[in-house]
Structures are given as C-alpha cells and as structure tokens.
Amino acid sequence: MVQKPMSANNDATSRICLALAQVPTGRVVTYGGLAEMAGLPRAARLVGQTLRKLPRDTTLPWHRVLNAQGRISIPEPGYQRQKSRLEAEGIVLIHGKVDLKQFLWRP
C-alpha cells in the first residue's frame, strides 16, 4: 500500500471537517454522503477514520453521521452518546434506525 503524503491526509481531513460543519441541526448525512460533499467520492471509510480521530470535546456535529442504512455504526458507549445527541435534535430512531427519507440532508 502506498502511503499518501502527510499534506494529502491533512487536506482530506480538512475537507471532511468543513463539509461536516455544514450539516444542519436536525438533519443527518451518511458516511458516503459526507465523503461526496468533501469531494472524496468512495471514501466513506476515510470519513469514519477521520471522525474516530476527532477530539472528544470537538464542536463538530460528528453525531449527525450515520451508515447508509440510517444506523449508528459506533459501539457502546459512543452509541448511546450519539443516540442521545440525535434525539436532542429531534431526530427519531425507530428500531435503531433513522428514517433517511425524513432526516437526510442534501446540500
């Protein structure tokens, strides 16, 4: 596997963070959708890796990112933290799933 130069990783991280910052309250995006918004098509896994590295006290709305089925992908205790934050914004989970037809944001 070829290592990307550090600047390429930093650029991708910046693009992901900038796109994430635009997701409005009460709406969600998928990992793949966020990658597309950041100009990084087919980079959903990179989005997940980037979000995992965010500091715990970040103000970015990381909790608004879900998998393609509308489910929370992170394990406990993060699952409950993400679920609580979504519910506080009026986003409802039914059987562990968000209705993407209702809550998905497309810029």
Side-chain angles (χ1 to χ4, degrees), residues 38-61:
L40 302 164
R42 302 184 52 84
R45 287 180 189 232
L46 177 61
V47 168
Q49 292 166 359
T50 301
L51 296 183
R52 266 194 304 278
K53 294 176 185 173
L54 290 174
R56 186 167 173 86
D57 63 349
T58 184
T59 58
L60 288 171

Side-chain angles (χ1 to χ4, degrees), residues 14-105:
S14 296
R15 290 161 65 177
I16 290 166
C17 290
L18 287 171
L20 178 58
Q22 295 180 37
V23 180
T25 302
R27 303 303 290 256
V28 298
V29 295
T30 63
Y31 290 96
L34 186 58
E36 290 279 337
M37 288 170 43
L40 302 164
R42 302 184 52 84
R45 287 180 189 232
L46 177 61
V47 168
Q49 292 166 359
T50 301
L51 296 183
R52 266 194 304 278
K53 294 176 185 173
L54 290 174
R56 186 167 173 86
D57 63 349
T58 184
T59 58
L60 288 171
W62 60 269
H63 60 282
R64 296 181 190 144
V65 184
L66 302 170
N67 70 23
Q69 291 79 43
R71 295 185 184 277
I72 295 172
S73 291
I74 61 176
E76 293 292 355
Y79 178 94
Q80 282 303 321
R81 207 165 129 232
Q82 184 172 5
K83 182 177 183 243
S84 296
R85 286 179 179 220
L86 291 171
E87 289 172 341
E89 294 184 4
I91 299 170
V92 181
L93 281 85
I94 299 172
H95 302 295
K97 194 172 178 181
V98 169
D99 181 359
L100 293 179
K101 289 180 183 173
Q102 181 178 358
F103 294 104
L104 186 66
W105 181 66

